[in-house]
């Protein structure tokens, strides 16, 4: 499974996005299931609505309905780890969506991700030591 961040979804949906071609190529090159989190879904819908309109967010939600990707559920226990991560990366700062992806990586046991956010995902470590491997070549 490949972890997916908000910026990848936005780039894939918007032909005018500067990362659109890279996102399309990465999506086509990796024939693996995609997984994200509810905080990323929320952030993606908000930004799709703001940038592309209601139809873009409906298309995104329909893609979830058609199981083009899955969504990881955070447990209540995850909130303690989210707080630790936000504190650890306060200088960036880390938001809830990014923290949820670190927890997802820790649960999957790998950090293979599609993200346009090079700075943050080159900095974040899952299990405090393991780097993410961004499969989106920019």
């Amino acid at each position: 499974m490949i972890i997916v961040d908000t910026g990848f979804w936005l780039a894939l949906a918007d032909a005018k996005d500067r990362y659109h071609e890279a996102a399309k190529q990465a999506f086509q090159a990796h024939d693996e299931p995609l997984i994200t989190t509810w905080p990323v879904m929320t952030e993606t819908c908000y930004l799709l609505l703001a940038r592309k309109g209601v139809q873009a967010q409906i298309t995104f939600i329909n893609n979830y309905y058609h199981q083009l990707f899955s969504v990881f559920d955070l447990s209540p226990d995850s909130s303690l780890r989210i707080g630790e991560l936000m504190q650890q990366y306060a200088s960036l700062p880390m938001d809830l969506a990014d923290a949820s992806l670190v927890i997802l990586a820790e649960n999957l046991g790998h950090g293979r991700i599609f993200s346009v956010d090079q700075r943050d995902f080159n900095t974040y470590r899952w299990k405090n030591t393991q780097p993410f491997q961004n499969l989106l070549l920019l």
Side-chain angles (χ1 to χ4, degrees), residues 9-17 20 44-59:
W9 296 127
L10 298 175
L12 211 56
D14 186 356
K16 294 179 182 176
D17 188 287
H20 180 71
T44 300
C45 283
Y46 173 80
L47 292 171
L48 283 172
L49 179 62
R51 295 178 186 180
K52 299 297 292 174
V54 69
Q55 194 56 51
Q57 78 172 345
I58 291 170
T59 298

Side-chain angles (χ1 to χ4, degrees), residues 23-79:
K24 264 185 21 181
Q25 289 175 10
F27 181 74
Q28 292 168 350
H30 297 277
D31 186 25
E32 292 180 53
L34 304 177
I35 188 167
T36 196
T37 62
W38 285 110
V40 170
M41 290 265 307
T42 302
E43 185 176 62
T44 300
C45 283
Y46 173 80
L47 292 171
L48 283 172
L49 179 62
R51 295 178 186 180
K52 299 297 292 174
V54 69
Q55 194 56 51
Q57 78 172 345
I58 291 170
T59 298
F60 178 66
I61 294 298
N62 284 338
N63 287 337
Y64 175 57
Y65 172 76
H66 292 290
Q67 300 178 357
L68 297 178
F69 61 92
S70 59
V71 178
F72 174 77
D73 282 324
L74 296 168
S75 71
D77 291 339
S78 299
S79 60

Side-chain angles (χ1 to χ4, degrees), residues 25 31 69 74 76 82 92 95 97 99 102 114 118 123:
Q25 289 175 10
D31 186 25
F69 61 92
L74 296 168
I82 288 169
L92 289 178
D95 63 20
V102 172
F114 284 150
Q118 296 281 325
T123 304

Side-chain angles (χ1 to χ4, degrees), residues 91-103:
S91 63
L92 289 178
M94 176 183 266
D95 63 20
L96 176 60
D98 287 358
S100 73
L101 294 177
V102 172
I103 289 170

